[in-house]
Amino acid sequence: VIAGLGNPWPVPKQSRHNLGALVVEALASTLGLERDWCWHWGCLSWICWVRLGEQSESGEGVAAERGEEGECPSVRTATSVPADCHFALVLPSVPYNFSGFAVRRALDELGAQVEDLIVLHDDIDLSPGRHSLKAAGSAGGNRGVRSVQESLGTDRVRRLRLGVGRPPTGGRIPAAIMTHVLGQLEEDLLAQWCDAAQSGELAKLLEIP
């Protein structure tokens, strides 16, 4: 289960705080699944199933053919998970700092465990364009991550930290940090991660075959 943290409307979609969600959307687009998102009231999230079909001639996995346009699998209960579902992409549609509720409920609906989860989120302690994989540990002041850890009752949550850097001035002042993360995401930074999705680099980071 790959979950991308972000803020719903009215926070601008192209904000730094939405980088995790935007990268997950880029991954879905690369797999040809940008129109396959389905809304799930039970976890207040958008979920996209990823089924892997037969091997391509290059030996790389390819996304299986989608159903008819508008057709969405029902995931009201964990028993409805498709047998050929390889993994799921999840976009919580709740305020960033309260992401834990949605992520926990999504895992419940999918019949998944904490060990199956990887969370993508922005990180001010990494320079823009840098990234870091983390298997456990402190949220580092990120309230969205802290919410996920508290809701799941563990800090052993795998994460892909996506650097957005600190504000040029007042880098330790909460108000300055809030303004920074809610500010406009740099186009080249988003393009870097879209390119990573298209090239397969992101899939390798997430250990997607």
Side-chain angles (χ1 to χ4, degrees):
V1 178
I2 301 171
L5 302 193
N7 272 307
W9 184 89
V11 176
K13 183 176 181 180
Q14 302 292 327
S15 69
R16 296 184 182 93
H17 232 11
N18 283 3
L19 182 57
L22 291 169
V23 171
V24 170
E25 286 188 1
L27 178 59
S29 180
T30 296
L31 295 171
L33 304 172
E34 65 273 14
R35 299 184 64 182
D36 284 12
W37 292 101
C38 296
W39 175 252
H40 299 277
W41 284 106
C43 57
L44 298 178
S45 300
W46 293 94
I47 296 180
C48 180
W49 296 113
V50 180
R51 299 175 173 87
L52 298 188
E54 298 179 354
Q55 297 294 307
S56 65
E57 293 182 359
S58 65
E60 298 179 353
V62 295
E65 182 178 353
R66 290 181 286 168
E68 296 297 327
E69 184 174 345
E71 178 182 343
C72 292
S74 172
V75 290
R76 296 305 179 188
T77 64
T79 56
S80 61
V81 176
D84 60 345
C85 177
H86 188 70
F87 60 92
L89 307 178
V90 178
L91 295 177
S93 190
V94 297
Y96 187 101
N97 292 350
F98 300 96
S99 299
F101 165 81
V103 171
R104 178 177 60 80
R105 292 294 297 271
L107 290 181
D108 290 343
E109 287 202 13
L110 296 168
Q113 305 299 317
V114 176
E115 294 78 13
D116 302 319
L117 173 68
I118 183 166
V119 176
L120 277 64
H121 64 89
D122 60 295
D123 197 304
I124 62 173
D125 289 325
L126 293 176
S127 301
R130 300 289 299 275
H131 68 272
S132 173
L133 283 167
K134 195 167 184 179
S138 166
N142 187 306
R143 294 182 181 179
V145 173
R146 183 171 65 189
S147 173
V148 171
Q149 292 178 339
E150 289 178 349
S151 292
L152 297 177
T154 179
D155 68 352
R156 299 192 65 80
V157 177
R158 291 185 298 160
R159 297 184 274 138
L160 177 57
R161 303 163 59 208
L162 309 171
V164 296
R166 287 184 176 270
T169 59
R172 298 288 176 181
I173 301 174
I177 292 175
M178 180 178 68
T179 299
H180 178 69
V181 297
L182 295 180
Q184 179 70 29
L185 176 66
E186 293 81 359
E187 291 185 6
D188 59 341
L189 180 54
L190 178 57
Q192 172 187 327
W193 283 106
C194 288
D195 290 344
Q198 293 176 355
S199 69
E201 179 185 353
L202 178 59
K204 290 180 180 178
L205 284 174
L206 300 175
E207 299 181 352
I208 299 173

PDB file of all heavy atoms in Angstrom, residues 38-70:
ATOM      1  N   CYS A  38     -10.797   5.660  -7.368  1.00  0.00           N
ATOM      2  CA  CYS A  38     -12.154   5.479  -6.847  1.00  0.00           C
ATOM      3  C   CYS A  38     -12.235   6.055  -5.441  1.00  0.00           C
ATOM      4  O   CYS A  38     -11.305   5.902  -4.639  1.00  0.00           O
ATOM      5  CB  CYS A  38     -12.525   3.997  -6.808  1.00  0.00           C
ATOM      6  SG  CYS A  38     -12.603   3.235  -8.440  1.00  0.00           S
ATOM      7  N   TRP A  39     -13.346   6.690  -5.158  1.00  0.00           N
ATOM      8  CA  TRP A  39     -13.535   7.299  -3.847  1.00  0.00           C
ATOM      9  C   TRP A  39     -14.080   6.285  -2.857  1.00  0.00           C
ATOM     10  O   TRP A  39     -14.980   5.514  -3.177  1.00  0.00           O
ATOM     11  CB  TRP A  39     -14.489   8.483  -3.950  1.00  0.00           C
ATOM     12  CG  TRP A  39     -14.838   9.093  -2.615  1.00  0.00           C
ATOM     13  CD1 TRP A  39     -16.024   9.015  -1.960  1.00  0.00           C
ATOM     14  CD2 TRP A  39     -13.973   9.868  -1.783  1.00  0.00           C
ATOM     15  NE1 TRP A  39     -15.964   9.688  -0.769  1.00  0.00           N
ATOM     16  CE2 TRP A  39     -14.711  10.228  -0.628  1.00  0.00           C
ATOM     17  CE3 TRP A  39     -12.654  10.292  -1.886  1.00  0.00           C
ATOM     18  CZ2 TRP A  39     -14.168  10.993   0.404  1.00  0.00           C
ATOM     19  CZ3 TRP A  39     -12.102  11.055  -0.859  1.00  0.00           C
ATOM     20  CH2 TRP A  39     -12.860  11.397   0.259  1.00  0.00           C
ATOM     21  N   HIS A  40     -13.545   6.303  -1.640  1.00  0.00           N
ATOM     22  CA  HIS A  40     -13.970   5.368  -0.596  1.00  0.00           C
ATOM     23  C   HIS A  40     -14.324   6.149   0.670  1.00  0.00           C
ATOM     24  O   HIS A  40     -13.446   6.709   1.337  1.00  0.00           O
ATOM     25  CB  HIS A  40     -12.870   4.344  -0.312  1.00  0.00           C
ATOM     26  CG  HIS A  40     -12.531   3.514  -1.508  1.00  0.00           C
ATOM     27  ND1 HIS A  40     -13.246   2.402  -1.870  1.00  0.00           N
ATOM     28  CD2 HIS A  40     -11.578   3.657  -2.459  1.00  0.00           C
ATOM     29  CE1 HIS A  40     -12.747   1.888  -2.974  1.00  0.00           C
ATOM     30  NE2 HIS A  40     -11.739   2.647  -3.353  1.00  0.00           N
ATOM     31  N   TRP A  41     -15.623   6.177   0.960  1.00  0.00           N
ATOM     32  CA  TRP A  41     -16.098   6.913   2.123  1.00  0.00           C
ATOM     33  C   TRP A  41     -15.548   6.339   3.423  1.00  0.00           C
ATOM     34  O   TRP A  41     -15.329   7.058   4.403  1.00  0.00           O
ATOM     35  CB  TRP A  41     -17.623   6.905   2.162  1.00  0.00           C
ATOM     36  CG  TRP A  41     -18.265   7.837   1.183  1.00  0.00           C
ATOM     37  CD1 TRP A  41     -18.897   7.506   0.022  1.00  0.00           C
ATOM     38  CD2 TRP A  41     -18.306   9.262   1.265  1.00  0.00           C
ATOM     39  NE1 TRP A  41     -19.336   8.629  -0.630  1.00  0.00           N
ATOM     40  CE2 TRP A  41     -18.992   9.738   0.119  1.00  0.00           C
ATOM     41  CE3 TRP A  41     -17.828  10.187   2.194  1.00  0.00           C
ATOM     42  CZ2 TRP A  41     -19.213  11.077  -0.117  1.00  0.00           C
ATOM     43  CZ3 TRP A  41     -18.050  11.543   1.956  1.00  0.00           C
ATOM     44  CH2 TRP A  41     -18.736  11.973   0.813  1.00  0.00           C
ATOM     45  N   GLY A  42     -15.352   5.025   3.461  1.00  0.00           N
ATOM     46  CA  GLY A  42     -14.914   4.385   4.697  1.00  0.00           C
ATOM     47  C   GLY A  42     -13.588   4.885   5.220  1.00  0.00           C
ATOM     48  O   GLY A  42     -13.338   4.868   6.432  1.00  0.00           O
ATOM     49  N   CYS A  43     -12.735   5.339   4.313  1.00  0.00           N
ATOM     50  CA  CYS A  43     -11.427   5.849   4.747  1.00  0.00           C
ATOM     51  C   CYS A  43     -11.167   7.265   4.243  1.00  0.00           C
ATOM     52  O   CYS A  43     -10.063   7.785   4.402  1.00  0.00           O
ATOM     53  CB  CYS A  43     -10.309   4.912   4.281  1.00  0.00           C
ATOM     54  SG  CYS A  43     -10.257   4.629   2.499  1.00  0.00           S
ATOM     55  N   LEU A  44     -12.183   7.878   3.651  1.00  0.00           N
ATOM     56  CA  LEU A  44     -12.068   9.259   3.149  1.00  0.00           C
ATOM     57  C   LEU A  44     -10.819   9.411   2.276  1.00  0.00           C
ATOM     58  O   LEU A  44     -10.031  10.337   2.432  1.00  0.00           O
ATOM     59  CB  LEU A  44     -12.026  10.254   4.320  1.00  0.00           C
ATOM     60  CG  LEU A  44     -13.272  10.283   5.210  1.00  0.00           C
ATOM     61  CD1 LEU A  44     -13.077  11.281   6.349  1.00  0.00           C
ATOM     62  CD2 LEU A  44     -14.507  10.642   4.412  1.00  0.00           C
ATOM     63  N   SER A  45     -10.673   8.477   1.357  1.00  0.00           N
ATOM     64  CA  SER A  45      -9.485   8.454   0.506  1.00  0.00           C
ATOM     65  C   SER A  45      -9.851   8.056  -0.921  1.00  0.00           C
ATOM     66  O   SER A  45     -10.866   7.402  -1.159  1.00  0.00           O
ATOM     67  CB  SER A  45      -8.459   7.448   1.046  1.00  0.00           C
ATOM     68  OG  SER A  45      -8.045   7.768   2.350  1.00  0.00           O
ATOM     69  N   TRP A  46      -8.980   8.441  -1.836  1.00  0.00           N
ATOM     70  CA  TRP A  46      -9.022   7.941  -3.201  1.00  0.00           C
ATOM     71  C   TRP A  46      -8.082   6.747  -3.265  1.00  0.00           C
ATOM     72  O   TRP A  46      -6.952   6.811  -2.791  1.00  0.00           O
ATOM     73  CB  TRP A  46      -8.570   9.009  -4.195  1.00  0.00           C
ATOM     74  CG  TRP A  46      -9.510  10.161  -4.297  1.00  0.00           C
ATOM     75  CD1 TRP A  46      -9.442  11.338  -3.622  1.00  0.00           C
ATOM     76  CD2 TRP A  46     -10.667  10.239  -5.138  1.00  0.00           C
ATOM     77  NE1 TRP A  46     -10.497  12.148  -3.972  1.00  0.00           N
ATOM     78  CE2 TRP A  46     -11.258  11.502  -4.910  1.00  0.00           C
ATOM     79  CE3 TRP A  46     -11.259   9.367  -6.054  1.00  0.00           C
ATOM     80  CZ2 TRP A  46     -12.414  11.904  -5.572  1.00  0.00           C
ATOM     81  CZ3 TRP A  46     -12.400   9.771  -6.715  1.00  0.00           C
ATOM     82  CH2 TRP A  46     -12.962  11.037  -6.472  1.00  0.00           C
ATOM     83  N   ILE A  47      -8.556   5.652  -3.854  1.00  0.00           N
ATOM     84  CA  ILE A  47      -7.746   4.439  -3.947  1.00  0.00           C
ATOM     85  C   ILE A  47      -7.717   3.980  -5.399  1.00  0.00           C
ATOM     86  O   ILE A  47      -8.720   4.033  -6.109  1.00  0.00           O
ATOM     87  CB  ILE A  47      -8.295   3.314  -3.054  1.00  0.00           C
ATOM     88  CG1 ILE A  47      -8.207   3.726  -1.571  1.00  0.00           C
ATOM     89  CG2 ILE A  47      -7.530   2.014  -3.279  1.00  0.00           C
ATOM     90  CD1 ILE A  47      -8.739   2.678  -0.611  1.00  0.00           C
ATOM     91  N   CYS A  48      -6.554   3.542  -5.816  1.00  0.00           N
ATOM     92  CA  CYS A  48      -6.369   3.034  -7.167  1.00  0.00           C
ATOM     93  C   CYS A  48      -5.712   1.657  -7.075  1.00  0.00           C
ATOM     94  O   CYS A  48      -4.639   1.522  -6.482  1.00  0.00           O
ATOM     95  CB  CYS A  48      -5.482   3.992  -7.965  1.00  0.00           C
ATOM     96  SG  CYS A  48      -5.159   3.475  -9.660  1.00  0.00           S
ATOM     97  N   TRP A  49      -6.379   0.644  -7.623  1.00  0.00           N
ATOM     98  CA  TRP A  49      -5.800  -0.704  -7.655  1.00  0.00           C
ATOM     99  C   TRP A  49      -4.742  -0.776  -8.736  1.00  0.00           C
ATOM    100  O   TRP A  49      -4.913  -0.234  -9.817  1.00  0.00           O
ATOM    101  CB  TRP A  49      -6.869  -1.747  -7.974  1.00  0.00           C
ATOM    102  CG  TRP A  49      -7.949  -1.865  -6.953  1.00  0.00           C
ATOM    103  CD1 TRP A  49      -9.264  -1.538  -7.110  1.00  0.00           C
ATOM    104  CD2 TRP A  49      -7.813  -2.351  -5.620  1.00  0.00           C
ATOM    105  NE1 TRP A  49      -9.949  -1.792  -5.953  1.00  0.00           N
ATOM    106  CE2 TRP A  49      -9.084  -2.289  -5.019  1.00  0.00           C
ATOM    107  CE3 TRP A  49      -6.740  -2.826  -4.866  1.00  0.00           C
ATOM    108  CZ2 TRP A  49      -9.323  -2.695  -3.714  1.00  0.00           C
ATOM    109  CZ3 TRP A  49      -6.973  -3.224  -3.559  1.00  0.00           C
ATOM    110  CH2 TRP A  49      -8.240  -3.158  -3.001  1.00  0.00           C
ATOM    111  N   VAL A  50      -3.683  -1.480  -8.460  1.00  0.00           N
ATOM    112  CA  VAL A  50      -2.660  -1.732  -9.471  1.00  0.00           C
ATOM    113  C   VAL A  50      -2.537  -3.237  -9.652  1.00  0.00           C
ATOM    114  O   VAL A  50      -2.155  -3.954  -8.734  1.00  0.00           O
ATOM    115  CB  VAL A  50      -1.295  -1.145  -9.068  1.00  0.00           C
ATOM    116  CG1 VAL A  50      -0.262  -1.418 -10.151  1.00  0.00           C
ATOM    117  CG2 VAL A  50      -1.420   0.354  -8.815  1.00  0.00           C
ATOM    118  N   ARG A  51      -2.927  -3.687 -10.839  1.00  0.00           N
ATOM    119  CA  ARG A  51      -2.803  -5.099 -11.182  1.00  0.00           C
ATOM    120  C   ARG A  51      -1.663  -5.250 -12.175  1.00  0.00           C
ATOM    121  O   ARG A  51      -1.570  -4.480 -13.129  1.00  0.00           O
ATOM    122  CB  ARG A  51      -4.098  -5.613 -11.819  1.00  0.00           C
ATOM    123  CG  ARG A  51      -5.328  -5.523 -10.948  1.00  0.00           C
ATOM    124  CD  ARG A  51      -6.535  -5.942 -11.770  1.00  0.00           C
ATOM    125  NE  ARG A  51      -7.746  -6.042 -10.985  1.00  0.00           N
ATOM    126  CZ  ARG A  51      -8.572  -5.025 -10.744  1.00  0.00           C
ATOM    127  NH1 ARG A  51      -8.287  -3.828 -11.233  1.00  0.00           N
ATOM    128  NH2 ARG A  51      -9.664  -5.200 -10.028  1.00  0.00           N
ATOM    129  N   LEU A  52      -0.830  -6.208 -11.972  1.00  0.00           N
ATOM    130  CA  LEU A  52       0.269  -6.438 -12.906  1.00  0.00           C
ATOM    131  C   LEU A  52      -0.086  -7.576 -13.841  1.00  0.00           C
ATOM    132  O   LEU A  52      -0.502  -8.649 -13.410  1.00  0.00           O
ATOM    133  CB  LEU A  52       1.558  -6.763 -12.146  1.00  0.00           C
ATOM    134  CG  LEU A  52       2.076  -5.645 -11.227  1.00  0.00           C
ATOM    135  CD1 LEU A  52       3.442  -6.014 -10.694  1.00  0.00           C
ATOM    136  CD2 LEU A  52       2.138  -4.316 -11.954  1.00  0.00           C
ATOM    137  N   GLY A  53       0.059  -7.311 -15.135  1.00  0.00           N
ATOM    138  CA  GLY A  53      -0.272  -8.319 -16.122  1.00  0.00           C
ATOM    139  C   GLY A  53       0.927  -9.183 -16.454  1.00  0.00           C
ATOM    140  O   GLY A  53       1.865  -9.321 -15.674  1.00  0.00           O
ATOM    141  N   GLU A  54       0.901  -9.729 -17.659  1.00  0.00           N
ATOM    142  CA  GLU A  54       1.989 -10.595 -18.082  1.00  0.00           C
ATOM    143  C   GLU A  54       3.236  -9.772 -18.346  1.00  0.00           C
ATOM    144  O   GLU A  54       3.178  -8.563 -18.508  1.00  0.00           O
ATOM    145  CB  GLU A  54       1.584 -11.348 -19.348  1.00  0.00           C
ATOM    146  CG  GLU A  54       0.385 -12.266 -19.131  1.00  0.00           C
ATOM    147  CD  GLU A  54       0.011 -12.972 -20.402  1.00  0.00           C
ATOM    148  OE1 GLU A  54       0.622 -12.644 -21.436  1.00  0.00           O
ATOM    149  OE2 GLU A  54      -0.877 -13.837 -20.358  1.00  0.00           O
ATOM    150  N   GLN A  55       4.368 -10.432 -18.390  1.00  0.00           N
ATOM    151  CA  GLN A  55       5.628  -9.749 -18.641  1.00  0.00           C
ATOM    152  C   GLN A  55       5.670  -9.223 -20.069  1.00  0.00           C
ATOM    153  O   GLN A  55       5.217  -9.879 -21.010  1.00  0.00           O
ATOM    154  CB  GLN A  55       6.806 -10.703 -18.417  1.00  0.00           C
ATOM    155  CG  GLN A  55       6.915 -11.198 -16.980  1.00  0.00           C
ATOM    156  CD  GLN A  55       7.247 -10.065 -16.048  1.00  0.00           C
ATOM    157  OE1 GLN A  55       8.214  -9.338 -16.263  1.00  0.00           O
ATOM    158  NE2 GLN A  55       6.460  -9.897 -15.007  1.00  0.00           N
ATOM    159  N   SER A  56       6.236  -8.025 -20.212  1.00  0.00           N
ATOM    160  CA  SER A  56       6.427  -7.479 -21.550  1.00  0.00           C
ATOM    161  C   SER A  56       7.653  -8.129 -22.186  1.00  0.00           C
ATOM    162  O   SER A  56       8.398  -8.852 -21.541  1.00  0.00           O
ATOM    163  CB  SER A  56       6.625  -5.955 -21.474  1.00  0.00           C
ATOM    164  OG  SER A  56       7.830  -5.654 -20.788  1.00  0.00           O
ATOM    165  N   GLU A  57       7.891  -7.835 -23.456  1.00  0.00           N
ATOM    166  CA  GLU A  57       9.037  -8.427 -24.134  1.00  0.00           C
ATOM    167  C   GLU A  57      10.345  -8.011 -23.491  1.00  0.00           C
ATOM    168  O   GLU A  57      11.337  -8.723 -23.550  1.00  0.00           O
ATOM    169  CB  GLU A  57       9.030  -8.017 -25.616  1.00  0.00           C
ATOM    170  CG  GLU A  57       7.858  -8.610 -26.391  1.00  0.00           C
ATOM    171  CD  GLU A  57       7.918  -8.230 -27.847  1.00  0.00           C
ATOM    172  OE1 GLU A  57       8.864  -7.504 -28.220  1.00  0.00           O
ATOM    173  OE2 GLU A  57       7.040  -8.644 -28.619  1.00  0.00           O
ATOM    174  N   SER A  58      10.358  -6.837 -22.851  1.00  0.00           N
ATOM    175  CA  SER A  58      11.573  -6.366 -22.207  1.00  0.00           C
ATOM    176  C   SER A  58      11.803  -7.045 -20.875  1.00  0.00           C
ATOM    177  O   SER A  58      12.833  -6.852 -20.236  1.00  0.00           O
ATOM    178  CB  SER A  58      11.507  -4.844 -22.005  1.00  0.00           C
ATOM    179  OG  SER A  58      10.464  -4.521 -21.103  1.00  0.00           O
ATOM    180  N   GLY A  59      10.781  -7.824 -20.425  1.00  0.00           N
ATOM    181  CA  GLY A  59      10.936  -8.514 -19.152  1.00  0.00           C
ATOM    182  C   GLY A  59      10.432  -7.712 -17.981  1.00  0.00           C
ATOM    183  O   GLY A  59      10.474  -8.161 -16.845  1.00  0.00           O
ATOM    184  N   GLU A  60       9.949  -6.508 -18.262  1.00  0.00           N
ATOM    185  CA  GLU A  60       9.459  -5.658 -17.184  1.00  0.00           C
ATOM    186  C   GLU A  60       7.967  -5.871 -17.014  1.00  0.00           C
ATOM    187  O   GLU A  60       7.236  -6.126 -17.973  1.00  0.00           O
ATOM    188  CB  GLU A  60       9.740  -4.186 -17.490  1.00  0.00           C
ATOM    189  CG  GLU A  60      11.229  -3.880 -17.604  1.00  0.00           C
ATOM    190  CD  GLU A  60      11.464  -2.427 -17.940  1.00  0.00           C
ATOM    191  OE1 GLU A  60      10.461  -1.721 -18.199  1.00  0.00           O
ATOM    192  OE2 GLU A  60      12.622  -2.001 -17.951  1.00  0.00           O
ATOM    193  N   GLY A  61       7.489  -5.724 -15.774  1.00  0.00           N
ATOM    194  CA  GLY A  61       6.062  -5.867 -15.524  1.00  0.00           C
ATOM    195  C   GLY A  61       5.290  -4.732 -16.170  1.00  0.00           C
ATOM    196  O   GLY A  61       5.765  -3.606 -16.248  1.00  0.00           O
ATOM    197  N   VAL A  62       4.107  -5.031 -16.664  1.00  0.00           N
ATOM    198  CA  VAL A  62       3.271  -4.006 -17.275  1.00  0.00           C
ATOM    199  C   VAL A  62       1.905  -4.033 -16.614  1.00  0.00           C
ATOM    200  O   VAL A  62       1.448  -5.065 -16.133  1.00  0.00           O
ATOM    201  CB  VAL A  62       3.117  -4.228 -18.797  1.00  0.00           C
ATOM    202  CG1 VAL A  62       4.450  -4.077 -19.501  1.00  0.00           C
ATOM    203  CG2 VAL A  62       2.539  -5.614 -19.103  1.00  0.00           C
ATOM    204  N   ALA A  63       1.258  -2.888 -16.591  1.00  0.00           N
ATOM    205  CA  ALA A  63      -0.060  -2.819 -15.970  1.00  0.00           C
ATOM    206  C   ALA A  63      -1.066  -3.604 -16.783  1.00  0.00           C
ATOM    207  O   ALA A  63      -1.057  -3.579 -18.017  1.00  0.00           O
ATOM    208  CB  ALA A  63      -0.496  -1.351 -15.867  1.00  0.00           C
ATOM    209  N   ALA A  64      -1.935  -4.324 -16.097  1.00  0.00           N
ATOM    210  CA  ALA A  64      -2.951  -5.105 -16.789  1.00  0.00           C
ATOM    211  C   ALA A  64      -3.994  -4.185 -17.400  1.00  0.00           C
ATOM    212  O   ALA A  64      -4.140  -3.031 -17.008  1.00  0.00           O
ATOM    213  CB  ALA A  64      -3.606  -6.077 -15.818  1.00  0.00           C
ATOM    214  N   GLU A  65      -4.734  -4.709 -18.355  1.00  0.00           N
ATOM    215  CA  GLU A  65      -5.771  -3.918 -19.022  1.00  0.00           C
ATOM    216  C   GLU A  65      -6.846  -3.535 -18.022  1.00  0.00           C
ATOM    217  O   GLU A  65      -7.285  -4.345 -17.215  1.00  0.00           O
ATOM    218  CB  GLU A  65      -6.389  -4.733 -20.154  1.00  0.00           C
ATOM    219  CG  GLU A  65      -7.433  -3.963 -20.934  1.00  0.00           C
ATOM    220  CD  GLU A  65      -7.985  -4.785 -22.069  1.00  0.00           C
ATOM    221  OE1 GLU A  65      -7.451  -5.876 -22.305  1.00  0.00           O
ATOM    222  OE2 GLU A  65      -8.951  -4.313 -22.699  1.00  0.00           O
ATOM    223  N   ARG A  66      -7.255  -2.279 -18.110  1.00  0.00           N
ATOM    224  CA  ARG A  66      -8.283  -1.794 -17.197  1.00  0.00           C
ATOM    225  C   ARG A  66      -9.666  -2.240 -17.649  1.00  0.00           C
ATOM    226  O   ARG A  66      -9.855  -2.644 -18.786  1.00  0.00           O
ATOM    227  CB  ARG A  66      -8.233  -0.268 -17.133  1.00  0.00           C
ATOM    228  CG  ARG A  66      -7.005   0.265 -16.424  1.00  0.00           C
ATOM    229  CD  ARG A  66      -7.038   1.772 -16.385  1.00  0.00           C
ATOM    230  NE  ARG A  66      -6.730   2.341 -17.696  1.00  0.00           N
ATOM    231  CZ  ARG A  66      -6.912   3.616 -18.010  1.00  0.00           C
ATOM    232  NH1 ARG A  66      -7.422   4.436 -17.134  1.00  0.00           N
ATOM    233  NH2 ARG A  66      -6.596   4.081 -19.196  1.00  0.00           N
ATOM    234  N   GLY A  67     -10.645  -2.103 -16.715  1.00  0.00           N
ATOM    235  CA  GLY A  67     -12.022  -2.446 -17.034  1.00  0.00           C
ATOM    236  C   GLY A  67     -12.657  -1.366 -17.883  1.00  0.00           C
ATOM    237  O   GLY A  67     -12.001  -0.435 -18.340  1.00  0.00           O
ATOM    238  N   GLU A  68     -13.953  -1.488 -18.104  1.00  0.00           N
ATOM    239  CA  GLU A  68     -14.664  -0.491 -18.882  1.00  0.00           C
ATOM    240  C   GLU A  68     -14.573   0.859 -18.195  1.00  0.00           C
ATOM    241  O   GLU A  68     -14.454   0.952 -16.978  1.00  0.00           O
ATOM    242  CB  GLU A  68     -16.137  -0.896 -19.026  1.00  0.00           C
ATOM    243  CG  GLU A  68     -16.349  -2.183 -19.808  1.00  0.00           C
ATOM    244  CD  GLU A  68     -15.886  -2.063 -21.245  1.00  0.00           C
ATOM    245  OE1 GLU A  68     -16.003  -0.941 -21.793  1.00  0.00           O
ATOM    246  OE2 GLU A  68     -15.396  -3.060 -21.802  1.00  0.00           O
ATOM    247  N   GLU A  69     -14.626   1.910 -18.995  1.00  0.00           N
ATOM    248  CA  GLU A  69     -14.529   3.268 -18.451  1.00  0.00           C
ATOM    249  C   GLU A  69     -15.605   3.493 -17.402  1.00  0.00           C
ATOM    250  O   GLU A  69     -16.779   3.189 -17.612  1.00  0.00           O
ATOM    251  CB  GLU A  69     -14.678   4.293 -19.570  1.00  0.00           C
ATOM    252  CG  GLU A  69     -14.502   5.723 -19.095  1.00  0.00           C
ATOM    253  CD  GLU A  69     -14.511   6.700 -20.247  1.00  0.00           C
ATOM    254  OE1 GLU A  69     -14.359   6.263 -21.403  1.00  0.00           O
ATOM    255  OE2 GLU A  69     -14.676   7.897 -19.978  1.00  0.00           O
ATOM    256  N   GLY A  70     -15.179   4.007 -16.263  1.00  0.00           N
ATOM    257  CA  GLY A  70     -16.108   4.283 -15.180  1.00  0.00           C
ATOM    258  C   GLY A  70     -16.290   3.120 -14.241  1.00  0.00           C
ATOM    259  O   GLY A  70     -16.892   3.255 -13.185  1.00  0.00           O
TER     260      GLY A  70
END
